[in-house]
Amino acid sequence: MYEELADEGFTVITVGIERSPEDARPWIEKASPKHPSLIDIEHLVPDLYGMINVPTVVWIDEEGRIARPNDASFASNRFKLLTGLDSKRHLRRLRAWVRGDAPALTPSEVRKHQDLPTAAEQEARAEFTLAWWLSREGHDDDAERHYERAGELAPHDITIRRGSMRTRGLNPMGLAFLKIAIKSALTRTPLYRRIEDSPA
Amino acid sequence: MPTLTLLHDGRVDEISVADLARPTISPEQVESLLGWELKPEGLCQGYMCIPVDQDDLVREDGLDLRVLADALQRPLVTEEKHAVASLGASHHDRAEALDSLDAPDFTLPDLAGNLHSLSDERGKKVLLVAYASW
């Protein structure tokens, strides 16, 4: 995708929401991308953009304006059955926007699709920052209270809940995540927030 | 005086506090670390001021950190045992920034430790992709 459109005034910036650069290294080295591939161990980008899960993509235009806000989108259809997300549709739309064949969203549509952060979500992020600092200082037992509290404040924030599992000795592919997924299904709170728009 | 580690705005700073259970911060540090100046009309950034009840805010040994956080509408969470506090971003500030539709700028390292900013790519269309291995 990047290779195809790099000459058309387009770039990709990937941001790995990880505990350390080492967690992202195998992924980045395998893809050996020519675009910036960044590591965000403090969850700065989720905080600035109000992201509550990954993968999340944002389209940003030449003037640095948000052309399409947070949208769940995978690079391939590997997880389509699980997530119900069709990556092909997103790529088609993206290609048309980059080439100038189709507009992104109007400013009022962008605003309509934005989930602006709440006080509870920001408090959860502050708790996560505290917990993560305590973990790195070796105070895992005390960190746990703050991870728990962050999860209570923003139970739908998967970047916090699943993103902290390895640090806390839990398996993000295992039962702990399955519980979150089941709860989300029961409460009809989608794990992946996507923008519903007309077929491209 | 004990020291409190203050996590804020992606930074780690140390402030001296008289009482860890009710931490205070000096007006000078409020200005240098958080960018707010205490004036008779309230907490100010340039010409913009937030009115505050100075009887609550100003204590003998500095400004009450909790009252300050409330006035700025920023979440403050603490772990007294390890003398550390985390001052999060105000949801009003974050919401206002997103509602302006200006993509928030950030600077982060790549695997080699080289720093990149979103604003480096001004003039190009950007697909920002947040992902994780978990």
Side-chain angles (χ1 to χ4, degrees), chain A residues 11-73:
Chain A
T11 191
V12 174
I13 299 178
T14 61
V15 178
I17 313 301
E18 304 286 5
R19 296 168 308 159
S20 79
E22 292 321 301
D23 287 351
R25 187 179 292 278
W27 297 61
I28 295 176
E29 287 184 344
K30 193 174 161 209
S32 64
K34 295 193 183 71
H35 56 73
S37 306
L38 313 180
I39 316 288
D40 183 5
I41 64 167
E42 302 281 357
H43 291 206
L44 172 66
V45 168
D47 184 349
L48 288 172
Y49 285 81
M51 294 174 180
I52 47 122
N53 200 357
V54 292
T56 293
V57 302
V58 183
W59 298 5
I60 298 164
D61 74 12
E62 296 88 333
E63 279 89 50
R65 306 269 297 165
I66 296 172
R68 187 179 171 91
N70 294 0
D71 193 10
S73 178

Short mmCIF file of all heavy atoms in Angstrom, two decimals, chain A residues 11-73:
data_model
loop_
_atom_site.label_atom_id
_atom_site.label_comp_id
_atom_site.label_asym_id
_atom_site.label_seq_id
_atom_site.Cartn_x
_atom_site.Cartn_y
_atom_site.Cartn_z
N THR A 11 2.25 9.23 2.96
CA THR A 11 3.10 8.37 3.79
C THR A 11 2.25 7.69 4.86
O THR A 11 1.13 8.10 5.16
CB THR A 11 4.26 9.13 4.45
OG1 THR A 11 5.17 8.18 5.02
CG2 THR A 11 3.78 10.07 5.56
N VAL A 12 2.83 6.63 5.39
CA VAL A 12 2.24 5.93 6.53
C VAL A 12 3.13 6.22 7.73
O VAL A 12 4.35 6.35 7.58
CB VAL A 12 2.22 4.40 6.26
CG1 VAL A 12 1.74 3.63 7.49
CG2 VAL A 12 1.35 4.07 5.05
N ILE A 13 2.54 6.41 8.89
CA ILE A 13 3.31 6.42 10.14
C ILE A 13 2.70 5.34 11.02
O ILE A 13 1.51 5.41 11.34
CB ILE A 13 3.23 7.78 10.87
CG1 ILE A 13 3.79 8.91 10.00
CG2 ILE A 13 3.97 7.72 12.20
CD1 ILE A 13 3.69 10.29 10.66
N THR A 14 3.49 4.34 11.35
CA THR A 14 2.97 3.34 12.28
C THR A 14 3.48 3.66 13.68
O THR A 14 4.60 4.14 13.86
CB THR A 14 3.40 1.91 11.90
OG1 THR A 14 4.83 1.81 11.95
CG2 THR A 14 2.90 1.53 10.52
N VAL A 15 2.62 3.41 14.67
CA VAL A 15 2.98 3.64 16.07
C VAL A 15 2.66 2.36 16.84
O VAL A 15 1.48 1.99 16.96
CB VAL A 15 2.19 4.84 16.65
CG1 VAL A 15 2.54 5.04 18.11
CG2 VAL A 15 2.49 6.12 15.87
N GLY A 16 3.68 1.70 17.32
CA GLY A 16 3.50 0.48 18.11
C GLY A 16 3.22 0.86 19.56
O GLY A 16 4.05 1.51 20.21
N ILE A 17 2.04 0.45 20.05
CA ILE A 17 1.67 0.73 21.45
C ILE A 17 2.18 -0.46 22.26
O ILE A 17 1.47 -1.46 22.42
CB ILE A 17 0.14 0.90 21.60
CG1 ILE A 17 -0.43 1.81 20.52
CG2 ILE A 17 -0.22 1.40 23.00
CD1 ILE A 17 0.13 3.22 20.48
N GLU A 18 3.41 -0.37 22.73
CA GLU A 18 4.10 -1.53 23.30
C GLU A 18 4.71 -1.19 24.66
O GLU A 18 4.73 -0.03 25.07
CB GLU A 18 5.24 -1.95 22.35
CG GLU A 18 4.81 -2.24 20.93
CD GLU A 18 4.07 -3.57 20.79
OE1 GLU A 18 3.80 -4.24 21.81
OE2 GLU A 18 3.77 -3.94 19.64
N ARG A 19 5.23 -2.24 25.31
CA ARG A 19 5.91 -2.01 26.59
C ARG A 19 7.37 -1.64 26.39
O ARG A 19 7.99 -1.04 27.24
CB ARG A 19 5.86 -3.27 27.46
CG ARG A 19 4.47 -3.68 27.87
CD ARG A 19 4.52 -5.06 28.46
NE ARG A 19 5.21 -5.97 27.56
CZ ARG A 19 5.76 -7.11 27.92
NH1 ARG A 19 5.74 -7.49 29.17
NH2 ARG A 19 6.35 -7.87 27.02
N SER A 20 7.92 -2.06 25.26
CA SER A 20 9.32 -1.76 24.99
C SER A 20 9.54 -1.86 23.49
O SER A 20 8.77 -2.54 22.79
CB SER A 20 10.24 -2.75 25.71
OG SER A 20 10.29 -3.95 24.96
N PRO A 21 10.60 -1.20 22.97
CA PRO A 21 10.90 -1.32 21.54
C PRO A 21 11.08 -2.78 21.13
O PRO A 21 10.75 -3.15 20.01
CB PRO A 21 12.21 -0.53 21.39
CG PRO A 21 12.21 0.44 22.53
CD PRO A 21 11.50 -0.26 23.66
N GLU A 22 11.56 -3.61 22.07
CA GLU A 22 11.83 -5.01 21.73
C GLU A 22 10.56 -5.77 21.34
O GLU A 22 10.60 -6.68 20.53
CB GLU A 22 12.54 -5.72 22.89
CG GLU A 22 13.95 -5.21 23.13
CD GLU A 22 14.71 -4.89 21.84
OE1 GLU A 22 14.87 -5.82 21.00
OE2 GLU A 22 15.11 -3.74 21.64
N ASP A 23 9.43 -5.38 21.92
CA ASP A 23 8.16 -6.04 21.59
C ASP A 23 7.78 -5.79 20.13
O ASP A 23 7.11 -6.60 19.50
CB ASP A 23 7.02 -5.54 22.49
CG ASP A 23 7.15 -6.09 23.91
OD1 ASP A 23 8.01 -6.97 24.12
OD2 ASP A 23 6.41 -5.63 24.79
N ALA A 24 8.18 -4.61 19.63
CA ALA A 24 7.79 -4.24 18.26
C ALA A 24 8.85 -4.65 17.24
O ALA A 24 8.57 -4.75 16.06
CB ALA A 24 7.56 -2.74 18.18
N ARG A 25 10.08 -4.91 17.72
CA ARG A 25 11.20 -5.14 16.80
C ARG A 25 10.94 -6.23 15.76
O ARG A 25 11.11 -5.98 14.56
CB ARG A 25 12.49 -5.45 17.59
CG ARG A 25 13.74 -5.54 16.71
CD ARG A 25 14.98 -5.83 17.53
NE ARG A 25 15.36 -4.72 18.39
CZ ARG A 25 16.04 -3.65 17.97
NH1 ARG A 25 16.42 -3.55 16.71
NH2 ARG A 25 16.35 -2.69 18.81
N PRO A 26 10.49 -7.43 16.15
CA PRO A 26 10.29 -8.48 15.13
C PRO A 26 9.30 -8.05 14.04
O PRO A 26 9.51 -8.37 12.88
CB PRO A 26 9.75 -9.67 15.92
CG PRO A 26 9.78 -9.33 17.34
CD PRO A 26 10.16 -7.90 17.51
N TRP A 27 8.25 -7.32 14.43
CA TRP A 27 7.23 -6.88 13.47
C TRP A 27 7.83 -5.88 12.49
O TRP A 27 7.61 -5.95 11.30
CB TRP A 27 6.06 -6.21 14.21
CG TRP A 27 5.33 -7.12 15.13
CD1 TRP A 27 5.84 -7.76 16.22
CD2 TRP A 27 3.96 -7.50 15.04
NE1 TRP A 27 4.87 -8.51 16.82
CE2 TRP A 27 3.71 -8.37 16.12
CE3 TRP A 27 2.93 -7.17 14.17
CZ2 TRP A 27 2.46 -8.93 16.33
CZ3 TRP A 27 1.68 -7.74 14.38
CH2 TRP A 27 1.46 -8.60 15.45
N ILE A 28 8.54 -4.91 13.06
CA ILE A 28 9.09 -3.85 12.22
C ILE A 28 10.19 -4.41 11.31
O ILE A 28 10.24 -4.10 10.12
CB ILE A 28 9.62 -2.69 13.09
CG1 ILE A 28 8.46 -2.04 13.85
CG2 ILE A 28 10.34 -1.65 12.23
CD1 ILE A 28 8.85 -0.95 14.81
N GLU A 29 11.05 -5.28 11.88
CA GLU A 29 12.15 -5.80 11.07
C GLU A 29 11.64 -6.68 9.94
O GLU A 29 12.18 -6.68 8.85
CB GLU A 29 13.18 -6.52 11.95
CG GLU A 29 13.95 -5.48 12.76
CD GLU A 29 15.07 -6.06 13.60
OE1 GLU A 29 15.08 -7.30 13.81
OE2 GLU A 29 15.91 -5.27 14.06
N LYS A 30 10.58 -7.42 10.20
CA LYS A 30 10.02 -8.28 9.17
C LYS A 30 9.46 -7.45 8.01
O LYS A 30 9.62 -7.79 6.84
CB LYS A 30 8.90 -9.15 9.78
CG LYS A 30 8.48 -10.29 8.87
CD LYS A 30 7.49 -11.20 9.58
CE LYS A 30 6.72 -12.03 8.56
NZ LYS A 30 5.38 -12.39 9.01
N ALA A 31 8.80 -6.34 8.36
CA ALA A 31 8.20 -5.50 7.32
C ALA A 31 9.23 -4.57 6.68
O ALA A 31 9.04 -4.12 5.56
CB ALA A 31 7.06 -4.68 7.92
N SER A 32 10.34 -4.31 7.40
CA SER A 32 11.38 -3.33 7.02
C SER A 32 10.82 -2.17 6.19
O SER A 32 11.19 -1.96 5.04
CB SER A 32 12.55 -4.01 6.30
OG SER A 32 12.12 -4.56 5.08
N PRO A 33 9.93 -1.40 6.82
CA PRO A 33 9.25 -0.33 6.09
C PRO A 33 10.16 0.88 5.85
O PRO A 33 11.11 1.10 6.60
CB PRO A 33 8.11 0.05 7.04
CG PRO A 33 8.62 -0.30 8.39
CD PRO A 33 9.56 -1.44 8.23
N LYS A 34 9.84 1.64 4.82
CA LYS A 34 10.59 2.86 4.52
C LYS A 34 9.95 4.08 5.19
O LYS A 34 10.51 5.15 5.21
CB LYS A 34 10.66 3.07 3.00
CG LYS A 34 11.44 1.98 2.28
CD LYS A 34 11.75 2.38 0.85
CE LYS A 34 12.46 1.30 0.09
NZ LYS A 34 11.56 0.14 -0.22
N HIS A 35 8.74 3.90 5.70
CA HIS A 35 8.06 5.02 6.37
C HIS A 35 8.39 4.99 7.86
O HIS A 35 8.87 3.96 8.37
CB HIS A 35 6.55 4.92 6.13
CG HIS A 35 5.96 3.60 6.56
ND1 HIS A 35 5.79 3.26 7.88
CD2 HIS A 35 5.54 2.54 5.84
CE1 HIS A 35 5.28 2.06 7.96
NE2 HIS A 35 5.11 1.59 6.73
N PRO A 36 8.14 6.08 8.60
CA PRO A 36 8.43 6.09 10.04
C PRO A 36 7.64 5.00 10.79
O PRO A 36 6.43 4.88 10.62
CB PRO A 36 7.99 7.49 10.48
CG PRO A 36 8.01 8.32 9.25
CD PRO A 36 7.65 7.39 8.12
N SER A 37 8.36 4.20 11.56
CA SER A 37 7.76 3.14 12.38
C SER A 37 8.15 3.42 13.82
O SER A 37 9.29 3.17 14.20
CB SER A 37 8.28 1.78 11.96
OG SER A 37 8.08 1.62 10.58
N LEU A 38 7.24 3.97 14.57
CA LEU A 38 7.58 4.53 15.87
C LEU A 38 7.08 3.64 17.01
O LEU A 38 6.21 2.79 16.82
CB LEU A 38 6.98 5.93 15.99
CG LEU A 38 7.24 6.83 14.76
CD1 LEU A 38 6.61 8.21 14.96
CD2 LEU A 38 8.73 6.95 14.46
N ILE A 39 7.67 3.87 18.17
CA ILE A 39 7.32 3.08 19.36
C ILE A 39 6.80 4.04 20.42
O ILE A 39 7.42 5.06 20.70
CB ILE A 39 8.57 2.37 19.95
CG1 ILE A 39 9.42 1.73 18.87
CG2 ILE A 39 8.16 1.38 21.03
CD1 ILE A 39 8.83 0.53 18.23
N ASP A 40 5.67 3.68 21.02
CA ASP A 40 5.01 4.56 22.00
C ASP A 40 4.76 3.77 23.29
O ASP A 40 3.68 3.23 23.49
CB ASP A 40 3.69 5.06 21.39
CG ASP A 40 2.95 6.05 22.28
OD1 ASP A 40 3.51 6.43 23.33
OD2 ASP A 40 1.83 6.43 21.92
N ILE A 41 5.78 3.74 24.16
CA ILE A 41 5.60 2.93 25.38
C ILE A 41 4.78 3.66 26.45
O ILE A 41 4.31 3.05 27.40
CB ILE A 41 6.95 2.45 25.99
CG1 ILE A 41 7.79 3.63 26.46
CG2 ILE A 41 7.73 1.59 25.01
CD1 ILE A 41 8.96 3.20 27.34
N GLU A 42 4.59 4.97 26.30
CA GLU A 42 3.81 5.73 27.30
C GLU A 42 2.36 5.94 26.89
O GLU A 42 1.62 6.65 27.56
CB GLU A 42 4.45 7.12 27.50
CG GLU A 42 5.90 7.11 27.95
CD GLU A 42 6.05 6.82 29.43
OE1 GLU A 42 5.02 6.69 30.12
OE2 GLU A 42 7.21 6.74 29.88
N HIS A 43 1.95 5.35 25.76
CA HIS A 43 0.57 5.52 25.27
C HIS A 43 0.22 6.99 25.00
O HIS A 43 -0.89 7.43 25.30
CB HIS A 43 -0.45 4.91 26.24
CG HIS A 43 -0.39 3.41 26.30
ND1 HIS A 43 -1.47 2.64 26.65
CD2 HIS A 43 0.61 2.54 26.05
CE1 HIS A 43 -1.12 1.35 26.63
NE2 HIS A 43 0.14 1.27 26.27
N LEU A 44 1.19 7.71 24.47
CA LEU A 44 0.96 9.13 24.16
C LEU A 44 -0.07 9.30 23.04
O LEU A 44 -0.98 10.13 23.15
CB LEU A 44 2.30 9.79 23.75
CG LEU A 44 2.21 11.22 23.20
CD1 LEU A 44 1.75 12.17 24.30
CD2 LEU A 44 3.56 11.68 22.64
N VAL A 45 0.07 8.52 21.98
CA VAL A 45 -0.85 8.68 20.84
C VAL A 45 -2.29 8.29 21.22
O VAL A 45 -3.22 9.03 20.91
CB VAL A 45 -0.32 7.92 19.59
CG1 VAL A 45 -1.38 7.82 18.50
CG2 VAL A 45 0.91 8.67 19.05
N PRO A 46 -2.50 7.17 21.93
CA PRO A 46 -3.88 6.89 22.40
C PRO A 46 -4.45 8.04 23.24
O PRO A 46 -5.64 8.36 23.13
CB PRO A 46 -3.73 5.62 23.23
CG PRO A 46 -2.55 4.93 22.63
CD PRO A 46 -1.60 6.04 22.20
N ASP A 47 -3.60 8.65 24.07
CA ASP A 47 -4.06 9.76 24.92
C ASP A 47 -4.43 10.97 24.05
O ASP A 47 -5.52 11.53 24.16
CB ASP A 47 -2.94 10.12 25.91
CG ASP A 47 -3.34 11.21 26.91
OD1 ASP A 47 -4.39 11.85 26.72
OD2 ASP A 47 -2.58 11.45 27.87
N LEU A 48 -3.54 11.36 23.12
CA LEU A 48 -3.80 12.54 22.29
C LEU A 48 -5.01 12.37 21.38
O LEU A 48 -5.76 13.31 21.13
CB LEU A 48 -2.59 12.86 21.42
CG LEU A 48 -1.35 13.42 22.12
CD1 LEU A 48 -0.18 13.49 21.13
CD2 LEU A 48 -1.64 14.80 22.69
N TYR A 49 -5.18 11.14 20.86
CA TYR A 49 -6.24 10.91 19.87
C TYR A 49 -7.48 10.22 20.45
O TYR A 49 -8.43 9.96 19.72
CB TYR A 49 -5.68 10.08 18.69
CG TYR A 49 -4.79 10.92 17.78
CD1 TYR A 49 -3.46 11.16 18.11
CD2 TYR A 49 -5.29 11.49 16.62
CE1 TYR A 49 -2.65 11.95 17.29
CE2 TYR A 49 -4.49 12.28 15.80
CZ TYR A 49 -3.18 12.50 16.14
OH TYR A 49 -2.39 13.29 15.34
N GLY A 50 -7.45 9.92 21.75
CA GLY A 50 -8.59 9.25 22.36
C GLY A 50 -8.82 7.86 21.81
O GLY A 50 -9.96 7.44 21.62
N MET A 51 -7.73 7.13 21.55
CA MET A 51 -7.87 5.76 21.02
C MET A 51 -8.09 4.79 22.17
O MET A 51 -7.43 4.90 23.20
CB MET A 51 -6.60 5.35 20.27
CG MET A 51 -6.36 6.14 19.02
SD MET A 51 -4.76 5.71 18.31
CE MET A 51 -4.72 6.78 16.88
N ILE A 52 -8.99 3.84 21.96
CA ILE A 52 -9.27 2.89 23.03
C ILE A 52 -8.96 1.44 22.62
O ILE A 52 -9.13 0.53 23.42
CB ILE A 52 -10.73 3.01 23.52
CG1 ILE A 52 -11.70 3.06 22.34
CG2 ILE A 52 -10.94 4.26 24.35
CD1 ILE A 52 -12.70 1.99 22.37
N ASN A 53 -8.50 1.26 21.40
CA ASN A 53 -8.07 -0.08 20.99
C ASN A 53 -7.14 0.05 19.78
O ASN A 53 -6.99 1.14 19.22
CB ASN A 53 -9.28 -0.96 20.63
CG ASN A 53 -8.95 -2.45 20.68
OD1 ASN A 53 -7.82 -2.86 20.92
ND2 ASN A 53 -9.96 -3.28 20.45
N VAL A 54 -6.50 -1.04 19.43
CA VAL A 54 -5.72 -1.11 18.21
C VAL A 54 -6.22 -2.32 17.42
O VAL A 54 -6.76 -3.25 18.02
CB VAL A 54 -4.22 -1.29 18.50
CG1 VAL A 54 -3.64 -0.06 19.12
CG2 VAL A 54 -3.96 -2.52 19.33
N PRO A 55 -6.06 -2.39 16.12
CA PRO A 55 -5.51 -1.30 15.30
C PRO A 55 -6.52 -0.17 15.10
O PRO A 55 -7.71 -0.43 14.94
CB PRO A 55 -5.21 -1.99 13.96
CG PRO A 55 -6.17 -3.14 13.92
CD PRO A 55 -6.37 -3.58 15.34
N THR A 56 -6.00 1.05 15.17
CA THR A 56 -6.81 2.24 14.89
C THR A 56 -6.06 3.09 13.88
O THR A 56 -4.86 3.28 14.02
CB THR A 56 -7.05 3.03 16.19
OG1 THR A 56 -7.88 2.26 17.06
CG2 THR A 56 -7.75 4.36 15.91
N VAL A 57 -6.78 3.56 12.88
CA VAL A 57 -6.14 4.42 11.88
C VAL A 57 -6.82 5.79 11.85
O VAL A 57 -8.01 5.92 12.18
CB VAL A 57 -6.17 3.80 10.46
CG1 VAL A 57 -5.49 2.44 10.45
CG2 VAL A 57 -7.59 3.69 9.92
N VAL A 58 -6.02 6.79 11.49
CA VAL A 58 -6.50 8.16 11.33
C VAL A 58 -5.94 8.69 10.01
O VAL A 58 -4.76 8.46 9.73
CB VAL A 58 -6.00 9.09 12.48
CG1 VAL A 58 -6.59 10.50 12.33
CG2 VAL A 58 -6.36 8.51 13.85
N TRP A 59 -6.78 9.35 9.23
CA TRP A 59 -6.28 10.00 8.02
C TRP A 59 -6.02 11.46 8.34
O TRP A 59 -6.88 12.14 8.91
CB TRP A 59 -7.32 9.96 6.89
CG TRP A 59 -7.73 8.61 6.43
CD1 TRP A 59 -7.35 7.40 6.94
CD2 TRP A 59 -8.62 8.32 5.34
NE1 TRP A 59 -7.95 6.39 6.24
CE2 TRP A 59 -8.73 6.92 5.25
CE3 TRP A 59 -9.33 9.12 4.45
CZ2 TRP A 59 -9.54 6.30 4.31
CZ3 TRP A 59 -10.13 8.51 3.50
CH2 TRP A 59 -10.22 7.10 3.43
N ILE A 60 -4.83 11.93 7.93
CA ILE A 60 -4.44 13.32 8.20
C ILE A 60 -4.03 13.95 6.86
O ILE A 60 -3.21 13.37 6.13
CB ILE A 60 -3.29 13.35 9.22
CG1 ILE A 60 -3.77 12.74 10.55
CG2 ILE A 60 -2.79 14.78 9.44
CD1 ILE A 60 -2.69 12.35 11.50
N ASP A 61 -4.59 15.11 6.56
CA ASP A 61 -4.33 15.68 5.23
C ASP A 61 -3.03 16.49 5.19
O ASP A 61 -2.32 16.59 6.20
CB ASP A 61 -5.56 16.47 4.73
CG ASP A 61 -5.74 17.80 5.45
OD1 ASP A 61 -4.82 18.25 6.17
OD2 ASP A 61 -6.82 18.41 5.30
N GLU A 62 -2.76 17.11 4.04
CA GLU A 62 -1.50 17.82 3.81
C GLU A 62 -1.30 18.97 4.79
O GLU A 62 -0.18 19.39 5.05
CB GLU A 62 -1.46 18.39 2.38
CG GLU A 62 -1.46 17.35 1.27
CD GLU A 62 -2.87 16.91 0.84
OE1 GLU A 62 -3.82 16.98 1.66
OE2 GLU A 62 -3.01 16.49 -0.31
N GLU A 63 -2.40 19.53 5.29
CA GLU A 63 -2.30 20.66 6.23
C GLU A 63 -2.29 20.20 7.68
O GLU A 63 -2.38 21.02 8.59
CB GLU A 63 -3.47 21.63 6.03
CG GLU A 63 -3.29 22.60 4.88
CD GLU A 63 -3.81 22.03 3.57
OE1 GLU A 63 -4.95 21.56 3.57
OE2 GLU A 63 -3.06 22.05 2.57
N GLY A 64 -2.21 18.90 7.90
CA GLY A 64 -2.20 18.41 9.27
C GLY A 64 -3.57 18.40 9.91
O GLY A 64 -3.69 18.44 11.14
N ARG A 65 -4.62 18.35 9.08
CA ARG A 65 -6.00 18.31 9.61
C ARG A 65 -6.51 16.87 9.57
O ARG A 65 -6.17 16.09 8.67
CB ARG A 65 -6.92 19.18 8.75
CG ARG A 65 -6.41 20.62 8.61
CD ARG A 65 -6.93 21.54 9.66
NE ARG A 65 -8.38 21.70 9.61
CZ ARG A 65 -9.09 22.23 10.61
NH1 ARG A 65 -8.50 22.60 11.73
NH2 ARG A 65 -10.39 22.38 10.49
N ILE A 66 -7.35 16.54 10.53
CA ILE A 66 -7.93 15.19 10.57
C ILE A 66 -8.98 15.07 9.46
O ILE A 66 -9.97 15.81 9.45
CB ILE A 66 -8.56 14.90 11.94
CG1 ILE A 66 -7.46 14.92 13.03
CG2 ILE A 66 -9.28 13.55 11.94
CD1 ILE A 66 -7.98 14.83 14.43
N ALA A 67 -8.74 14.17 8.52
CA ALA A 67 -9.65 14.00 7.38
C ALA A 67 -10.61 12.84 7.61
O ALA A 67 -11.67 12.77 6.98
CB ALA A 67 -8.84 13.76 6.11
N ARG A 68 -10.21 11.92 8.47
CA ARG A 68 -11.07 10.81 8.88
C ARG A 68 -10.57 10.39 10.27
O ARG A 68 -9.40 10.07 10.43
CB ARG A 68 -10.93 9.65 7.88
CG ARG A 68 -11.89 8.50 8.10
CD ARG A 68 -11.67 7.42 7.02
NE ARG A 68 -12.41 6.22 7.32
CZ ARG A 68 -13.66 5.99 6.88
NH1 ARG A 68 -14.26 6.85 6.11
NH2 ARG A 68 -14.28 4.89 7.21
N PRO A 69 -11.45 10.44 11.27
CA PRO A 69 -10.97 10.19 12.64
C PRO A 69 -10.82 8.69 12.94
O PRO A 69 -11.02 7.86 12.05
CB PRO A 69 -12.07 10.82 13.49
CG PRO A 69 -13.32 10.63 12.69
CD PRO A 69 -12.90 10.72 11.24
N ASN A 70 -10.47 8.42 14.18
CA ASN A 70 -10.23 7.04 14.65
C ASN A 70 -11.18 6.03 14.02
O ASN A 70 -12.39 6.15 14.13
CB ASN A 70 -10.45 6.96 16.18
CG ASN A 70 -9.44 7.76 16.96
OD1 ASN A 70 -8.56 8.38 16.37
ND2 ASN A 70 -9.57 7.73 18.27
N ASP A 71 -10.59 5.04 13.39
CA ASP A 71 -11.39 3.99 12.77
C ASP A 71 -10.62 2.68 12.94
O ASP A 71 -9.41 2.65 12.75
CB ASP A 71 -11.55 4.34 11.27
CG ASP A 71 -12.63 3.49 10.60
OD1 ASP A 71 -13.37 2.77 11.30
OD2 ASP A 71 -12.70 3.56 9.36
N ALA A 72 -11.32 1.63 13.30
CA ALA A 72 -10.66 0.33 13.44
C ALA A 72 -10.44 -0.25 12.05
O ALA A 72 -11.39 -0.36 11.28
CB ALA A 72 -11.53 -0.61 14.26
N SER A 73 -9.20 -0.56 11.73
CA SER A 73 -8.96 -1.15 10.42
C SER A 73 -7.71 -2.02 10.46
O SER A 73 -6.66 -1.60 10.96
CB SER A 73 -8.76 -0.05 9.38
OG SER A 73 -8.46 -0.65 8.13
#
